[in-house]
Amino acid sequence: MDAPVDPRTSWDLPAPGAMPRTAELEPLVVRVLAPNASGMTLDGTNTYVVGQPGSGQAVVVDPGPADPAHLAAVEAVLTARDARVVAVLVTHHHGDHAEAALPWGRRFGAPVAAAAADVAGPAGRLLAPGEQLRLAGTTIGVVGTPGHTADHLAFRLESGAVLVGDHVLGRGTSVVTHPEGDVVAYLESLRRVHDLGPAALYCGHGPELTVDPAAVLDFYLAHRAHREAQLLAGLAAGPRTVDELVAQVYAAVPSALWPAAAQSTRATLAKLAAEGRVRPADGDVVALADPR
């Protein structure tokens, strides 16, 4: 079975480690890269400063880690734009996106808004899909994108760009872990973002995707279908443990990433089990479901 082709391989994207610390993506948006690069966060967490130039206001999306140097870089952007923060928005609860949310909210005197109460804090605002936030001289649409986590949101800008958090990465594919993640919800969320017709995808990690965002979303959907087919093909030879399936399916992936791949595999197997296509066999062993 042929793997789907990632359209980004032919795009002129910055090499890993070469993303600029600060970049204006459009008049409404400046991206500030946090210094927390890793195998899972790629170049680091992307924090976005959003606001109409000249409005004197800004929204910070995904403040990321509570790092003094990162805070200083964001404050430098705010100073350059002569803007004060009127809200801190968070795509989901993972620490590499949300750790600094409450501390920065206190520092800026701004409310924190998220889908999860523990992220927003007692004085914060709980967001619901479909809301239209009129902030910093612009309107930001709240898009429900559960799957990577249950509380995951994306934010659609007036320009048509979508801040997608960890739902789509600038490089590679997003991890949907088990039991936190939900592959069925993730696939539905991919289609929901696709239906928006995004002008660009501003990702939680990695470079922005502006050439053909729909093609990337198509690839993500095809990639998930391909992984399902690989797992079913592996099980066609007989029952396997999750680790055995990972070693087979992710043979070309560095083994350091196999623990994350195992979690993603468990999430996909949960979907296939719910569909009646696979079944637990013994302990950590999985088998194809008995034909009916």
Side-chain angles (χ1 to χ4, degrees), residues 45 62-66 90-103 112 119:
T45 299
D62 278 357
V90 185
T91 58
H92 64 296
H93 71 272
H94 284 167
D96 58 316
H97 294 257
E99 181 185 56
L102 291 176
V112 177
V119 176

Side-chain angles (χ1 to χ4, degrees), residues 14-15 17-25 31-34 43 46 207-208:
M19 287 178 60
R21 184 66 66 196
T22 302
E24 182 176 305
L25 306 186
R31 173 179 47 73
V32 184
L33 179 62
D43 301 71
N46 292 326
E208 56 277 6

